[in-house]
Amino acid sequence: MATVTFLGAAQEVTGSCHLLESDCFGQLLLDCGMHQGGDLISRLEEEHFQFNPAGIDAVILSHGHLDHCGMLPKLVHQGFTGPIYCTSATADLLVVMLKDAAGLYERDLERENLKRKRQGKPERKPEYTMQDVERVLDLCEGLDYCETRSICSGNANLCLHDAGHILGSSIVELTFTERGKQKTLVFSGDLGKRDAVLMNDPSSPKKADLVLMESTYGDREHRTEEDTLAQLEQILKDTWNRGGNVMIPSFAVGRTQELLFHLGCLRQQNKLDNWQIFLDSPMAIDVTRIYEKWLELLSDEDTQHLDKDHKAPLEDFLPNLFLSVTPEDSMAINKMKSGAIIIAGSGMCTGGRIRHHFKQRIWNPNNTLIFVGFQARGTLGRILVDGARHIKLFGEQYVVKAQIETLGGFSAHAGQSGLVRWISHFKPVPQVVLVHGEPKAQQALADRLYKELQMNVEIPARNHSLVF
């Protein structure tokens, strides 16, 4: 019998990793993600695989966010040599995402080891290197949406469907025959919401024996796009009138491109004051180039507003956008006393340039900090959303006086009703397991699924195994 063991994103939102085992196809991993929050060096050292990486036959990757792919280099470092299946667009994104993460890790490790050397302590060995990242990229095999690929020596068939979450994100459909019976497993990955800007609506497979469904927003709905844009417009106007600046921690993949598009729309409608907009993230700039390469995968309705004949249509849509590539470019933004919208990583404020902008501006009540994505437990972003009045940055304490705002309508995840609608398409009712969600959200979703669809779902703890 096939088993699935939930090694991450089990009653939590980060670290997606699920191990599938069967005599039919061997051992497969669905995602190999990193937990978010805390010190990067310690986090990588503390992440231990509950299996032998060399014994994994293949990895099936849902999409390119680090909480789904960030442990792939460590997996390779410890002996994995099999194929990594994902969409071709995701493979392109991995080049940027994993190289950037490795660069940050190498710099942090170098600083840490210099400090330890001065203290007479032994050096910390790297958990992976840039060479491991290159090997990950070499192992990637790109698929088109709805293409069926025979994997594991022909013992299973893989098909990826559009999840509508970020560029290249996929719903995994795995079909195999075990003891004369055909079985289908569907893994939702991260599901996008319907009518999300730039993205297509998530696809809806109709049949499965087992469904692993994300539940990030299982206990709430998102504001409508119209309401969210009105809220953004008002926040920008209020901050402009106070003579302040706006800081937006944003994920490099998906959220940044969506923000640029929305700001471009406000400008087209003459609803954007004379803001200077800074995209202060080399990774987000590179990712935006990849989005422009794969425009055919995005929503036709939204991309019709872009001048596709130009090299950089998203930038052309927003001419008051400045791309901040070098550290010097980033530091130059400090001279802006007012009128700057600063979009910078990381999205959960766990690192990146956004923390340097906090140092310059979070203590000023004229400024505004806007959160546009989910903030996981243990991250600086979550601490701020929860109302912290003091935070520690670079070894110093800072008072939080900037206005804190949250735009829930910009989420790249389906809300509760979207999740219910998606799972309701499966006939007959499959076995359903909720992953990638915090317990409160998962229980709320489970209650609604039982009430409306008479669907009993399971909420596995980490390291729990299930036979299907």
Side-chain angles (χ1 to χ4, degrees):
M1 297 291 285
T3 63
V4 54
T5 304
F6 306 93
L7 302 175
Q11 299 185 27
E12 59 183 347
V13 167
T14 66
S16 179
C17 185
H18 312 294
L19 174 64
L20 302 181
E21 298 176 276
S22 170
D23 292 338
C24 171
F25 52 71
Q27 293 186 318
L28 303 178
L29 279 188
L30 296 175
D31 288 346
C32 190
M34 176 184 293
H35 285 85
Q36 304 291 292
D39 172 69
L40 176 60
I41 297 173
S42 298
R43 193 162 69 243
L44 277 169
E45 287 183 350
E46 292 163 2
E47 294 262 14
H48 299 293
F49 296 121
Q50 304 299 311
F51 50 83
N52 176 13
I56 299 297
D57 294 282
V59 175
I60 303 172
L61 182 62
S62 65
H63 64 285
H65 277 149
L66 287 178
D67 63 325
H68 293 257
C69 71
M71 293 297 288
L72 286 172
K74 183 169 179 175
L75 187 77
V76 166
H77 187 79
Q78 294 191 5
F80 172 73
T81 58
I84 300 170
Y85 298 106
C86 58
T87 63
S88 298
T90 293
D92 278 354
L93 288 175
L94 289 182
V95 177
V96 175
M97 301 297 289
L98 295 182
K99 285 187 175 182
D100 180 84
L104 290 173
Y105 174 55
E106 286 181 342
R107 289 192 290 274
D108 286 354
L109 190 62
E110 184 179 357
R111 284 193 292 267
E112 172 67 14
N113 281 334
L114 180 59
K115 178 181 176 181
R116 293 175 72 88
K117 189 174 182 179
R118 290 169 179 160
Q119 296 172 341
K121 297 179 180 179
E123 288 189 354
R124 295 171 104 158
K125 300 298 182 184
E127 296 296 314
Y128 71 83
T129 67
M130 193 66 78
Q131 286 182 319
D132 296 314
V133 171
E134 294 291 352
R135 282 196 283 269
V136 168
L137 301 177
D138 288 341
L139 293 174
C140 286
E141 295 191 19
L143 281 73
D144 294 331
Y145 286 132
C146 300
E147 172 191 352
T148 298
R149 178 76 61 90
S150 177
I151 67 172
C152 300
S153 302
N155 293 316
N157 287 323
L158 171 66
C159 186
L160 302 179
H161 306 273
D162 193 345
H165 173 61
I166 62 168
L167 177 68
S169 61
S170 60
I171 298 162
V172 174
E173 181 181 17
L174 185 72
T175 304
F176 57 96
T177 300
E178 191 177 53
R179 299 182 183 179
K181 180 182 178 183
Q182 188 179 67
K183 295 182 178 180
T184 299
L185 178 145
V186 169
F187 170 45
S188 72
D190 285 355
L191 289 171
K193 61 180 182 177
R194 293 172 63 84
D195 302 319
V197 68
L198 293 180
M199 304 307 301
N200 296 305
D201 291 346
S203 301
S204 298
K206 300 295 191 293
K207 186 177 180 181
D209 298 286
L210 175 66
V211 177
L212 277 55
M213 182 172 77
E214 73 118 313
S215 50
T216 312
Y217 287 99
D219 61 343
R220 71 197 88 166
E221 306 291 359
H222 301 306
R223 297 185 69 172
T224 66
E225 182 177 307
E226 183 179 358
D227 288 345
T228 301
L229 286 175
Q231 183 187 2
L232 174 61
E233 183 184 349
Q234 189 61 51
I235 291 170
L236 294 179
K237 189 175 295 294
D238 291 344
T239 308
W240 180 268
N241 291 337
R242 290 197 305 269
N245 296 290
V246 171
M247 298 171 286
I248 307 179
S250 187
F251 299 97
V253 184
R255 196 57 39 81
T256 291
Q257 293 72 37
E258 182 180 2
L259 271 170
L260 296 179
F261 184 81
H262 280 307
L263 291 170
C265 289
L266 288 176
R267 179 187 172 276
Q268 296 289 322
Q269 298 163 19
N270 294 316
K271 293 181 178 180
L272 192 65
D273 289 304
N274 194 30
W275 288 99
Q276 302 301 299
I277 302 167
F278 297 89
L279 179 52
D280 190 21
S281 168
M283 180 168 64
I285 293 168
D286 289 341
V287 168
T288 300
R289 297 283 183 259
I290 296 172
Y291 264 67
E292 290 167 337
K293 172 185 173 181
W294 290 97
L295 284 178
E296 71 269 18
L297 294 184
L298 304 178
S299 165
D300 289 336
E301 181 180 353
D302 292 329
T303 57
Q304 70 178 346
H305 301 295
L306 305 178
D307 188 347
K308 299 177 187 179
D309 293 331
H310 283 210
K311 183 179 179 181
L314 275 171
E315 290 172 46
D316 294 337
F317 197 50
L318 195 59
N320 53 337
L321 172 67
F322 297 85
L323 303 181
S324 178
V325 178
T326 68
E328 291 74 22
D329 292 338
S330 182
M331 288 186 284
I333 302 172
N334 296 338
K335 299 175 183 177
M336 296 284 298
K337 302 305 180 186
S338 65
I341 297 175
I342 305 160
I343 303 169
S346 68
M348 295 186 190
C349 312
T350 54
R353 294 182 179 180
I354 193 65
R355 295 165 71 99
H356 292 275
H357 293 297
F358 285 176
K359 179 180 176 181
Q360 299 292 328
R361 296 179 172 84
I362 204 164
W363 43 265
N364 187 336
N366 291 335
N367 296 328
T368 301
L369 169 58
I370 304 177
F371 287 99
V372 294
F374 187 86
Q375 304 299 308
R377 286 177 297 185
T379 63
L380 177 58
R382 180 65 166 264
I383 291 168
L384 287 165
V385 167
D386 287 343
R389 302 316 302 167
H390 294 84
I391 59 172
K392 191 172 184 179
L393 292 169
F394 309 106
E396 296 184 24
Q397 291 287 335
Y398 289 83
V399 64
V400 179
K401 289 189 176 180
Q403 304 296 308
I404 308 292
E405 302 282 356
T406 300
L407 297 180
F410 281 164
S411 174
H413 291 263
Q416 188 189 71
S417 292
L419 293 169
V420 172
R421 182 187 302 110
W422 184 80
I423 197 67
S424 70
H425 288 104
F426 287 87
K427 306 294 181 188
V429 174
Q431 185 176 6
V432 178
V433 175
L434 299 184
V435 296
H436 205 282
E438 294 179 357
K440 178 175 174 287
Q442 292 182 313
Q443 191 57 56
L445 179 59
D447 291 345
R448 182 169 172 185
L449 289 173
Y450 179 76
K451 180 180 179 181
E452 294 187 12
L453 302 177
Q454 292 72 56
M455 186 178 287
N456 288 299
V457 304
E458 298 186 53
I459 304 174
R462 195 171 179 182
N463 296 322
H464 173 75
S465 294
L466 179 141
V467 178
F468 73 100

